[in-house]
Amino acid sequence: MKIAFGCDHGGFVLKAEIIEYLKKNGHEVMDFGINDGHSVDYPDYSLPVAECVSAGQADFGIVACGTGIGISIAANKVPGVRCALLSDTFSAHATREHNNANMMALGGRTIGPGLAVDIVDVFLNTPFSGDERHQRRIDKITAIEKKYSK
């Protein structure tokens, strides 16, 4: 799979562990930064990942900031993106199976690298169920997005 990754200074601590896991498992990584721990604005790193996923240039996107909150909010402004903030493996499984999420956000100050890698593993290896009820709900989300996108 092709995975787009981006983070700010708050998510930088997770970056090396996650990218090492991804590459070790045969995934191609598109790295949108950052490459050191200097303070930056998370929307600048969330946007290119979200645009890449929305355009179909990556299968999934992973973003990280201090809490994962701000960077996930920014990602979800891009049409076609369903970015879930994750801090446990149950939610990682559920958001793929039920919401067909195509991006995930992590908090570098809220979870450690070991848990982050476990969450990434579950997220990437859980397929969307395709159940009619889940697709119907996703279609309703898409309709809301279209209504308010100009």
Side-chain angles (χ1 to χ4, degrees):
M1 279 185 254
K2 189 180 281 191
I3 313 297
F5 187 96
C7 68
D8 75 354
H9 54 284
F12 181 69
V13 295
L14 299 180
K15 180 180 178 179
E17 295 279 339
I18 293 170
I19 289 180
E20 179 183 338
Y21 161 81
L22 293 170
K23 289 181 177 179
K24 183 174 116 181
N25 285 278
H27 301 292
E28 179 183 341
V29 178
M30 302 168 70
D31 184 354
F32 290 95
I34 62 176
N35 295 313
D36 59 38
H38 72 282
S39 182
V40 296
D41 298 330
Y42 57 80
D44 297 336
Y45 297 87
S46 183
L47 181 60
V49 174
E51 288 176 333
C52 189
V53 170
S54 179
Q57 297 168 341
D59 299 302
F60 294 104
I62 302 171
V63 290
C65 68
T67 62
I69 297 168
I71 207 159
S72 66
I73 292 170
N76 279 313
K77 298 299 180 185
V78 176
V81 167
R82 288 179 305 283
C83 183
L85 171 57
L86 300 173
S87 59
D88 62 88
T89 56
F90 176 80
S91 297
H93 183 272
T95 198
R96 284 289 307 127
E97 188 175 76
H98 296 190
N99 311 121
N100 200 15
N102 52 14
M103 283 186 64
M104 62 180 294
L106 300 166
R109 296 181 182 140
T110 61
I111 62 172
L115 178 56
V117 167
D118 288 346
I119 292 168
V120 168
D121 182 66
V122 170
F123 182 88
L124 294 179
N125 289 297
T126 301
F128 175 53
S129 72
D131 289 351
E132 185 276 331
R133 70 178 198 253
H134 297 309
Q135 187 59 57
R136 181 180 68 244
R137 294 166 187 160
I138 293 166
D139 292 344
K140 288 181 178 189
I141 292 168
T142 302
I144 294 168
E145 181 180 79
K146 288 180 180 176
K147 179 179 179 180
Y148 290 96
S149 295
K150 303 285 184 232

